[in-house]
Amino acid sequence: MSAPQIPLLRSSGRLAATLLLALAAVLAGPARGDAAGLALASTGRMEVNAMEYPWSAIGRVNVGGRGHCTGFLIGARRVLTAAHCLHDGETGRWRGANEIHFVAGYQRDAYLIHSPVASYERSQRFDTAAGATARNAVNDWAVLTLEKPIGRQAGWLGLRRLDDGLLRRLRRGEARALQAGYRRGWTHIMTVNLNCAISGFFQGRSGILHSCNISKGDSGSPLLVLDGGAFRVVGLHVLNANSSDGKVAGVLSVGLFHAGTGNRQAIRAVGRAGAPWSAGHAPHQGSPASALPLQTIDRLLDRLQPAESARTQHGPVQRGAAIAAFQSRRGLPVTGQASLDLLGSLIQATP
């Protein structure tokens, strides 16, 4: 079967390129094992500590003991993921909720925050027989309802539409798009793409295309936007695509779930999360997950340090000095304190 062609539209609305959807890339189903010898550096991704917010709100959707996808919390009990992850292609059936388990903050076989799935709702329009088509991908969503309110421990992420103003800020470098998930070859660690360039749209603006490297296992992961110091989700990963310029990733715009622009069933399903369009919520005090991403901050500080002053230790004193030095170089208020705002500044400063 040949893959369908999709017109790639720039923000001007002009036809810019033709994409071929890769049938086996993401829509084929959950990832099933690590690819030996894959070098993380070659993917352009960075390992992060999955037990630090905002990464702790992202987790593995383990399906039937045979594979996994990625999903992310949008409330205390609700997880958004890709519908195709829940379909068993070998038997041709949708898996039961009792076959699905969500693990937040999963890292190297550590699963402190997890819950069975009590039920789920998927798009009524998703057609398993249609194959890898852009029209089908736009309906590739499911909302899981967990038995336990683990979002209180892991935190959750808020949704945001990719409007023209945000798109302009991304293109000017004033905001940053990034992605995190459990990709093939690194299925037991959280890895993050720090700089995903928005390259166009498909199906009007229901689908968003970007340039970051994704693979099996990333299905259901969030396309995040860092804007004004806040992390919000603008898209749900559902497919890979190829163009003459190289690979791009396709995500379902979360505008589908918004009352002003979305689909009625999708709006109701996501609305049950409570306040999905809020700024999200960090882990509650006393949770095993940390509200401060100290390891990510340390790693980015090391990346951005001048070579002659690279650190060999990462204690509170060394971290505070490195933060103060970074803030001074960037013309920021010098506090020496770790925070989500600081993480945002570090990501913005990272090439």
Side-chain angles (χ1 to χ4, degrees):
M1 180 185 297
S2 62
Q5 293 184 337
I6 303 176
L8 169 60
L9 302 182
R10 303 294 180 183
S11 60
S12 63
R14 294 182 180 180
L15 182 63
T18 299
L19 302 180
L20 296 179
L21 292 186
L23 293 177
V26 176
L27 287 174
R32 295 178 181 174
D34 293 347
L38 181 65
L40 181 59
S42 70
T43 70
R45 295 167 73 138
M46 180 182 81
E47 180 180 352
V48 295
N49 181 354
M51 286 295 283
E52 296 178 340
Y53 188 79
W55 324 125
S56 57
I58 304 166
R60 278 183 37 145
V61 179
N62 293 331
V63 184
R66 300 179 61 187
H68 82 276
C69 282
T70 301
F72 55 96
L73 285 150
I74 56 172
R77 292 181 183 268
R78 299 307 197 282
V79 171
L80 190 56
T81 190
H84 75 259
C85 297
L86 312 181
H87 185 260
D88 187 340
E90 295 183 5
T91 63
R93 70 179 181 89
W94 290 98
R95 292 192 177 275
N98 63 343
E99 301 175 76
I100 308 167
H101 205 99
F102 182 71
V103 186
Y106 175 77
Q107 196 83 354
R108 301 187 184 279
D109 296 320
Y111 46 95
L112 297 177
I113 306 175
H114 60 93
S115 174
V117 172
S119 63
Y120 68 84
E121 182 173 1
R122 58 177 175 83
S123 172
Q124 296 170 350
R125 298 180 179 181
F126 187 80
D127 182 3
T128 58
T133 63
R135 187 178 301 277
N136 209 28
V138 171
N139 301 311
D140 195 354
W141 62 266
V143 178
L144 314 180
T145 299
L146 306 179
E147 290 185 3
K148 303 174 184 177
I150 64 170
R152 298 172 185 171
Q153 295 176 289
W156 60 84
L157 298 167
L159 307 182
R160 179 173 180 178
R161 290 186 293 176
L162 180 59
D163 56 28
D164 289 340
L166 179 54
L167 188 60
R168 284 193 295 270
R169 290 194 293 279
L170 286 165
R171 288 176 171 165
R172 291 196 297 257
E174 297 167 359
R176 182 75 71 100
L178 53 154
Q179 178 269 343
Y182 293 92
R183 64 161 287 146
R184 177 177 57 185
W186 302 93
T187 57
H188 297 289
I189 62 173
M190 174 87 65
T191 60
V192 176
N193 284 296
L194 288 177
N195 193 4
C196 303
I198 304 298
S199 53
F201 302 93
F202 62 96
Q203 285 297 307
R205 293 186 67 154
S206 296
I208 305 167
L209 296 166
H210 70 77
S211 63
C212 270
N213 186 311
I214 68 166
S215 184
K216 280 187 177 180
D218 281 320
S219 295
S221 66
L223 177 63
L224 294 155
V225 166
L226 167 62
D227 184 38
F231 294 85
R232 304 277 285 277
V233 178
V234 297
L236 170 70
H237 278 93
V238 293
L239 56 90
N240 278 352
N242 295 318
S243 73
S244 58
D245 297 329
K247 291 184 178 181
V248 295
V251 301
L252 171 60
S253 169
V254 297
L256 182 77
F257 306 104
H258 194 276
T261 57
N263 167 271
R264 184 175 301 176
Q265 185 201 2
I267 293 167
R268 286 199 306 266
V270 165
R272 295 187 184 103
W277 300 95
S278 69
H281 201 287
H284 286 196
Q285 189 173 7
S287 166
S290 171
L292 281 180
L294 296 180
Q295 288 190 25
T296 309
I297 286 171
D298 285 340
R299 185 160 297 188
L300 292 175
L301 284 169
D302 282 345
R303 276 193 179 193
L304 295 168
Q305 284 277 25
E308 65 275 10
S309 59
R311 292 179 300 153
T312 58
Q313 295 180 309
H314 297 90
V317 174
Q318 293 86 358
R319 180 183 298 119
I323 291 171
F326 166 77
Q327 291 170 327
S328 179
R329 290 196 306 271
R330 299 286 294 183
L332 301 170
V334 178
T335 66
Q337 299 297 311
S339 65
L340 277 178
D341 282 344
L342 173 71
L343 175 62
S345 298
L346 288 166
I347 290 173
Q348 287 285 65
T350 301

